[in-house]
Amino acid sequence: EVQLVESGGGLVKPGGCLRLSCAASGFTFSSYTMNWVRQAPGKGLEWVSCISGNDYYIYHADSVKGRFTISRENAKNSLYLQMNSLRVEDTAVYYCVRESSGEGFDYWGQGTLVTVSS
Amino acid sequence: QSVVTQPPSASGTPGQRVTISCSGSRSNIGSKTVTWYQHLPGTAPKLLIYNNNQRPSGVPDRFSGSKSGTSASLAISGLQFEDEADYYCAVWDDSLKVRLFGGGTKLTVL
């Protein structure tokens, strides 16, 4: 059974840092592109970042470029999102998402809440 | 403001057919495949349609997708109360090199 479990969310002050983790199981982690998607309170889904299975390509949304960094450790079946210079508008539930080639975002974690507030 | 546009709301009565549109441009919908997601509050989003019109196993055939030019649509037939949710289209943009979600459509079953 495919499982994606996020951790690392919490309350942080503006300008602060946080590192999200996603533990994956039930599939060959290194074979899949992984994504982070977020949803701010009362807002829609927003794609944040993606990383290919072999790290060959990495992309970030303009809204987080230069502040957030996606990475992965295939040996540990883990995905990460390092978030620096956090802003109030980064407050959201962050989802770890598996992307199946040509088949979209087929598995989502339950999400972890990040709150940026003074 | 999303580059991919959906109507903010849609509604229908049980048994009806409703469609939700998703409008983009040549660099996204016009050249890439569209996926659709259903999102119920407090739960993880669920993949409904991939590759414009393919349904993952377990998704009822009441849900169907289509694409023409720079627009895509999700149709739900035989509407049920349990279909009340937020629906999002998503597509890769080859110019911006980002994944774009539509702004979402809140479906109300009256």
Side-chain angles (χ1 to χ4, degrees), chain B residues 8-9 18 22 34 39 41 65 75 86 106:
Chain B
S9 64
V18 297
C22 175
V34 177
H39 192 198
D86 296 322
K106 184 175 184 59

Side-chain angles (χ1 to χ4, degrees), chain A residues 47-64:
Chain A
W47 174 82
V48 173
S49 182
C50 69
I51 182 169
S52 62
N54 56 7
D55 290 9
Y56 186 74
Y57 68 79
I58 290 175
Y59 296 106
H60 293 90
D62 285 349
S63 58
V64 306

Side-chain angles (χ1 to χ4, degrees), chain A residues 1-14:
Chain A
E1 179 194 4
V2 172
Q3 284 198 315
L4 299 169
V5 180
E6 303 94 339
S7 61
L11 175 64
V12 62
K13 287 182 167 48

